[in-house]
Amino acid sequence: MILEIVSPEATLFKGEVTSVSVPGINGEFQMLNNHAPIVSLLGKGNVKINAQNIKIEKEFVSKFNKVNEQTFWLPINSGTIEMNENKIIVLAD
């Protein structure tokens, strides 16, 4: 599935991922391939990205925390997420 993370300044990440966990306003939840369509508000926490080959542009690497070769976290204060037809868009603040 495709993940796109957009901030007010720029698109921080766009690429193929295996799973994404986000801080929903009622608790953390995870999306995998072929997840049902969803739109939700996000609270303060980490967007957790899991993928085989994560490529983050040099100018945005400092915004992400590397857990291991396949897992990165992006701290956010709030946002919105939409998943539809295996494409996830996170509008993050």
Side-chain angles (χ1 to χ4, degrees):
M1 67 189 158
I2 301 295
L3 170 64
E4 187 172 351
I5 301 175
V6 181
S7 75
E9 299 86 29
T11 299
L12 302 178
F13 177 82
K14 185 172 184 179
E16 185 80 23
V17 298
T18 53
S19 71
V20 178
S21 297
V22 294
I25 57 172
N26 293 319
E28 184 175 309
F29 62 95
Q30 181 181 49
M31 287 153 292
L32 300 170
N33 200 25
N34 296 316
H35 192 283
I38 186 170
V39 174
S40 181
L41 294 174
L42 301 177
K44 185 174 179 124
N46 292 304
V47 175
K48 300 172 185 172
I49 304 165
N50 291 299
Q52 294 298 320
N53 295 310
I54 297 176
K55 293 185 175 104
I56 299 171
E57 293 184 34
K58 288 181 186 179
E59 61 199 88
F60 304 124
V61 168
S62 64
K63 295 184 179 289
F64 291 81
N65 297 315
K66 183 177 181 179
V67 177
N68 58 46
E69 291 300 318
Q70 297 180 349
T71 306
F72 282 78
W73 290 10
L74 173 68
I76 63 169
N77 291 315
S78 64
T80 305
I81 187 167
E82 176 186 14
M83 178 166 184
N84 193 17
E85 297 180 2
N86 274 342
K87 182 172 183 183
I88 303 167
I89 300 173
V90 176
L91 304 176
D93 185 27

